[in-house]
Amino acid sequence: MAVSYTALETALGNHLRAIPGVTHIAWPNVPFTAPKTALWVRPTLLAARAATLTYGTSSVSGFPGVYRINVFGPKGQGIAPVSKLVDDIINAFRAASIDADGINIEVENAWRSSSLSDDLYFQITADISINFIS
């Protein structure tokens, strides 16, 4: 089966879009105006180098990566709203079985990183470690 990163990103994006509380999404290369008073997210697929996996006399290619989701909230309103949405995103991906045009996407792990802040927004990142085999 041919590898389709387009199908992979579409499936991950559809899963993200279905999570309650995820209402404003800054998709890659799409114009977006960040809301000043609401939470919003920015997903990015960080694909890693494919690896050849050998099973007996057969081999397949494994495609690992990280689906990074930056979650933003208005600065000065505390950590709780952003932190809760990050928790909801992590839990939704951990419990997921995601399919992309017949390719099963395995969620290997999910975690949050440290928080960041700038003049307008407070941010926490959710990292979703994924793998699929072709």
Side-chain angles (χ1 to χ4, degrees), residues 15 30-31 38-40 52 70-71 78 83 99-100 110 119 123 125:
H15 187 73
V30 175
L39 299 177
W40 60 281
T52 301
N70 301 90
V71 180
S83 186
D99 185 68
D119 290 343
Q123 168 192 343
T125 300

Side-chain angles (χ1 to χ4, degrees), residues 97-120:
S97 176
I98 305 170
D99 185 68
D101 286 347
I103 301 170
N104 183 267
I105 303 166
E106 178 184 336
V107 175
E108 295 181 334
N109 201 353
W111 65 94
R112 64 182 270 173
S113 66
S114 60
S115 59
L116 301 170
S117 189
D118 64 20
D119 290 343
L120 297 175

Side-chain angles (χ1 to χ4, degrees), residues 69-83:
I69 304 162
N70 301 90
V71 180
F72 298 85
K75 189 172 179 181
Q77 296 188 5
I79 190 174
V82 175
S83 186

